[in-house]
Amino acid sequence: RIEKVGNLTVEPPSLFRGRGTHPMMGKLKPRIQPEEVTINIARMSAVPPCPIPGHSWKQVVHRPDVTWLAMWRLDLTNAVKYVYLNNASSFKGRSDRDKYEKARKLKKYIHKIRANYTKNMKKGSKATKQLATAMWIIDILALRVGGEKDSDKEADTVGCCSLRVEHFTFLDPEEPLTLELDFLGKDSMRFYEKIDFNKYKDNGIGEMVYNNLKKFCARKKPTDDVFDTLTPSVLNKHLSSIMPGLTAKVFRTYNASITLQEQLPKHIGHNLTSQQQVKIYNTANREVSILCNHQRSVPKSFGAAFAKLQARADQLAKQIEELKVMGRLARKGKGDKIKLKPPITDDMTADDKREIAHLFSRE
């Protein structure tokens, strides 16, 4: 079976940019040589020739247990880069299907999991309460699990298990049971939310989570971990004991799917146009984006484009006012005082033509 390959090229040497305030920003990213690239093919397949004369691949392996076709390591960040099959490939499709099937399976266990962390929130050791509180945050706030990073080589991004005291601001007594959560998540995207725990009233869970977080932050430095007894591996091990194969990241898939299902109407009229149906879907999908903190980076040209649109809006507002004046003059029989459109000439720009587009010519 022939499948499309995804990323085919190796990045050329350049200055490293990274995302957000990456500590390696501005350093030189050297050229990747064939001697650094490992190829993964079937035992019976011909080895692809190295395209650069005088060079050869680092090694050729036969690993059917992985999904990458080639890999190399960046010396600058020590990160491993892979070549995978295209997103439209059947293999990737099966992988996505398995991911959503696991989320469908979670739906059968979700009440058991929520009962588990609610019970552990009330009693138990500090480690048990931290585990239960983290499970609530991942389930309800849809945070990624997070993990340890080398701050000298990677951007300071965090997830649930790596949250620090400095990321929490407790607003009581002015706003009881309310806090601000502010940190940089994956790809240095800022997560900011003012969370009112009063709205989570089932079994008093909101108040328990708030009080636990306050205790976990007490008598700690701003740079200390909130969940100092918890790691992603401990969390995932506990989750898999409730549902085989369950990890924390499945919660995001599950909650995103449930949110989309709840936002979409149960019945859509057959008389709606394709554009109207797309609008309904995009509106529902926007709620999923808000839940998962999916944001689009502001384009570099945004400022200039916005200023141009604002100037156009101001121009239209001015033209509307001039048309209102023309209407009043016409009703009073003073048509000779109405400003007329000048002749269109070849040297006029598009902006010049837009400036007089609302004016009339006398027949």
Side-chain angles (χ1 to χ4, degrees):
R1 182 185 179 92
I2 297 176
E3 299 279 11
K4 290 183 178 180
V5 178
N7 51 318
L8 289 168
T9 58
V10 176
E11 293 181 10
S14 59
L15 292 179
F16 183 76
R17 173 63 183 86
R19 292 187 172 95
T21 54
H22 201 287
M24 307 297 283
M25 185 188 302
K27 294 192 175 183
L28 179 63
K29 186 165 55 176
R31 184 182 299 278
I32 301 298
Q33 299 292 345
E35 286 76 9
E36 301 173 71
V37 178
T38 299
I39 303 295
N40 181 29
I41 57 173
R43 289 188 180 276
M44 303 301 293
S45 298
V47 177
C50 178
I52 304 177
H55 290 265
S56 62
W57 305 120
K58 178 180 179 179
Q59 64 178 138
V60 176
V61 299
H62 314 289
R63 293 188 56 186
D65 58 319
V66 296
T67 59
W68 53 267
L69 307 176
M71 62 160 285
W72 60 92
R73 187 179 296 276
L74 296 179
D75 289 337
L76 187 63
T77 61
N78 205 35
V80 179
K81 297 290 184 178
Y82 296 96
V83 173
Y84 292 105
L85 290 173
N86 189 278
N87 287 335
S89 68
S90 61
F91 185 90
K92 179 64 176 172
R94 289 195 298 271
S95 176
D96 287 343
R97 182 195 61 193
D98 293 343
K99 180 179 74 172
Y100 286 105
E101 282 301 318
K102 191 171 286 187
R104 282 160 58 90
K105 185 179 177 182
L106 174 57
K107 185 177 181 182
K108 300 176 182 178
Y109 287 84
I110 193 67
H111 296 296
K112 181 180 179 181
I113 292 169
R114 288 171 177 168
N116 175 269
Y117 67 60
T118 301
K119 179 189 71 175
N120 291 338
M121 201 98 64
K122 299 176 184 177
K123 56 184 179 180
S125 63
K126 177 184 176 182
T128 301
K129 288 183 178 180
Q130 285 198 2
L131 174 63
T133 305
M135 287 171 64
W136 183 91
I137 290 175
I138 289 170
D139 179 22
I140 304 302
L141 301 184
L143 263 61
R144 291 182 174 87
V145 66
E148 294 183 1
K149 286 194 170 187
D150 183 354
S151 59
D152 293 332
K153 288 194 173 184
E154 297 180 88
D156 182 25
T157 58
V158 300
C160 178
C161 291
S162 50
L163 287 169
R164 299 190 294 270
V165 176
E166 61 189 339
H167 299 136
F168 290 87
T169 303
F170 297 90
L171 303 179
D172 55 352
E174 290 80 7
E175 299 181 61
L177 296 180
T178 304
L179 62 78
E180 290 178 343
L181 183 55
D182 191 356
F183 63 90
L184 289 181
K186 184 180 178 182
D187 295 337
S188 293
M189 285 294 181
R190 185 190 182 199
F191 178 98
Y192 172 80
E193 188 172 345
K194 188 175 182 180
I195 307 167
D196 181 5
F197 288 87
N198 290 293
K199 66 182 182 181
Y200 302 108
K201 295 181 178 179
D202 293 345
N203 301 316
I205 190 73
E207 185 174 359
M208 284 190 289
V209 172
Y210 181 85
N211 290 334
N212 281 350
L213 288 172
K214 206 167 183 182
K215 289 177 184 176
F216 301 155
C217 293
R219 296 182 295 279
K220 287 183 180 178
K221 298 176 183 177
T223 54
D224 288 343
D225 288 340
V226 174
F227 299 103
D228 51 356
T229 66
L230 186 63
T231 63
S233 58
V234 171
L235 176 61
N236 286 330
K237 184 178 180 181
H238 176 72
L239 291 174
S240 63
S241 69
I242 303 174
M243 176 187 130
L246 177 62
T247 60
K249 67 180 183 180
V250 181
F251 280 91
R252 281 175 64 84
T253 308
Y254 166 77
N255 282 315
S257 301
I258 286 292
T259 301
L260 183 65
Q261 180 176 307
E262 291 174 347
Q263 292 296 319
L264 287 173
K266 292 183 178 180
H267 303 286
I268 298 178
H270 295 291
N271 58 334
L272 294 181
T273 63
S274 298
Q275 291 82 357
Q276 289 173 320
Q277 293 180 33
V278 169
K279 184 177 183 298
I280 291 172
Y281 177 81
N282 286 341
T283 301
N285 204 34
R286 192 175 296 113
E287 294 301 316
V288 177
S289 299
I290 293 171
L291 172 73
C292 295
N293 196 43
H294 289 165
Q295 304 175 39
R296 182 188 174 195
S297 299
V298 178
K300 295 179 180 178
S301 59
F302 175 77
F306 185 81
K308 189 174 181 180
L309 289 172
Q310 186 62 55
R312 179 64 177 145
D314 293 341
Q315 183 186 67
L316 289 172
K318 179 183 175 182
Q319 290 174 343
I320 289 171
E321 290 303 317
E322 290 182 359
L323 288 169
K324 289 179 180 179
V325 172
M326 293 178 198
R328 288 195 292 268
L329 290 173
R331 284 192 293 273
K332 293 179 180 179
K334 300 179 180 180
D336 56 323
K337 294 185 178 181
I338 294 177
K339 184 179 178 181
L340 299 177
K341 180 185 291 188
I344 302 296
T345 59
D346 293 338
D347 60 342
M348 279 186 169
T349 65
D351 289 337
D352 293 333
K353 293 177 182 178
R354 274 195 293 267
E355 185 72 30
I356 61 173
H358 66 298
L359 300 177
F360 298 91
S361 301
R362 193 182 299 278
E363 295 295 335

